Amino acid sequence: MSFFLPKLTTKKDIDEVIKAVAEKVLVLRFGRDDDSVCLQLDEILSKTAHDLSNMASIYIVDVDKAPIYTRYFDISYIPSTVFFFNGQHMKVDYGSPDHTKFVGSFKTKQDFIDLIEVIYRGAMRGKMIVQSPIDPQNIPKYDLLYHGI
Amino acid sequence: MGAYYCAICNQTTFCGKKKHIFGKNHQSRLRVVLLKFTEKVKEARRTLKRPQVEKFDCTQHKQKFWCYCCGLEVERDVTDDNMTVMYGGLLEHMATREHRNSTYKFWWDNKADPKLRDRVLITEEETERFKAEVAKVLESFVEKEDEYIKQQADVIRAQEKHRQEVFQCLLEPNEERELSNGPSSTDPSVEVSVSSQFQSQVSEQQVGSRFDPIIEAPWTLAGRSLTFIGYQDSSSSGNVHTGAVPPWLQEDPLEGPSGAAAQAEIGPSLQEFLKQKEQEKLRKLPPNRVGANFDHSSHTDANWLPSFGRVWNSGRRWQSRHQFRQEEGQKNKQKRKREHATSGSKTTKPAKQAPSSDI
């Protein structure tokens, strides 16, 4: 949990934020404030938030507060970080099974900064999916389970 | 056995002069050289019987050409800065003894075709003939030039005369005044009618100096036809010469009560100005960025979902939204079914039992 990053509690807030952030990357961290990995991630996010303020806006979302988005974004592991640009969802290929969000925490602040920069540049060029600059060793591993309908 | 430089091939051979000259390379180059050379000479020969004389043109007539036989640069034409005899220089050079000697040498050294040799030489008889023709043509040329000059002079004289006549029309109404100004001025005005070059020049000078008083006279004459609207009295408010405030900067007498509104500020308000600044910034961004045409202020209802590419989907993104809504719908249906099932179980049982009894 960070005292500097703004929190969103309702779907309406999240909608407004997605629509309002213009020409910057929108970072939505889905997780719980008491989870240990979430705390690590939050620390990295809050420490880099000021430096990245021209490129990105970072928000914290509790997965229990907005269940519709938890289902819509298919969040099964926390923390999960979803990226938007001008209301459009940005996909990133990390070398992991799920390109739609970043699962887990970053190893260093620099990894996160690099990732934001790559997303920003890709978005400026009109790309909706970009290649992650983070070393695959530093990406947390998880199994993606398919829930049959 | 030394190094021998062949000027035609632009190469140095070490095997010996004779060997190189019979080679294929040398002979082909030689042929090209001779062709070019003879072309130039052909042009010149055409003028042998009918020499061309033209007025001297400094850009064209001082051209030189390279004589391969002598290894010299020779001027093509002969000129005395007034007239030129085209190809005169070339023909003169070809007639000289030295050129004849060097031509023979060149032909022998390079083993060229002897039939072509005579084309490059010009005999003495030909030169004599050429000189006579040239003299005749020069005379006729000079005559023509003189005639042309005379024609030009006539044209100029006619123009001058026409101009004097025009001046006459202007002078006539003022001749009385001119006479009163002084008897000296009448003499040139009389001489004006005589059309001779020298006198017309003098009278032109006189007319030029007297032009100023003449100008005033016609204008005051024409002034009699204008309408007089009265003497403007601007002693109360002042006019442009006294340095008064111009009417368009003065307070408008009609604008009494509404003067306050006009005092309001002009230009965009602060809000609009800030908006304009934002728009300027946006214009600098690349136009093909993601979501460039995303309307940030659009009002969306409570069921709005952002464009998200779901995990197990491939294809268009709206499909994920669609699919999600479907799933949500199914979930709601399942929930409702369960509720129905618990509440309506008593009513279904008797319905089920009835048909079973028929079977």
Side-chain angles (χ1 to χ4, degrees), chain A residues 90-143:
Chain A
M90 298 292 295
K91 292 196 186 184
V92 184
D93 180 6
Y94 311 96
S96 63
D98 188 356
H99 293 183
T100 62
K101 52 186 156 320
F102 184 81
V103 174
S105 171
F106 299 96
K107 186 156 182 233
T108 58
K109 286 190 286 184
Q110 193 54 46
D111 280 344
F112 178 60
I113 294 171
D114 291 342
L115 179 64
I116 292 293
E117 191 174 338
V118 163
I119 295 175
Y120 184 80
R121 280 181 204 263
M124 276 298 157
R125 292 220 182 94
K127 312 253 183 251
M128 294 184 51
I129 177 161
V130 294
Q131 190 77 16
S132 152
I134 306 177
D135 192 359
Q137 289 174 342
N138 297 345
I139 309 265
K141 297 235 180 325
Y142 55 92
D143 287 322

Side-chain angles (χ1 to χ4, degrees), chain B residues 1-62:
Chain B
M1 258 333 146
Y4 168 67
Y5 176 74
C6 173
I8 295 179
C9 305
N10 207 16
Q11 277 174 347
T12 319
T13 51
F14 298 91
C15 303
K17 194 158 84 174
K18 295 277 173 173
K19 185 167 177 210
H20 163 81
I21 282 169
F22 290 105
K24 199 168 53 166
N25 192 17
H26 178 90
Q27 286 293 330
S28 65
R29 279 189 203 252
L30 188 68
R31 229 172 287 145
V32 170
V33 158
L34 283 178
L35 203 64
K36 286 198 284 183
F37 199 40
T38 46
E39 280 299 317
K40 290 195 187 151
V41 181
K42 239 191 257 177
E43 273 292 319
R45 275 187 184 267
R46 265 181 235 147
T47 64
L48 254 186
K49 298 218 175 118
R50 224 180 292 152
Q52 269 178 304
V53 177
E54 278 168 38
K55 198 149 168 45
F56 179 63
D57 176 15
C58 47
T59 55
Q60 294 255 351
H61 290 178
K62 278 266 185 186

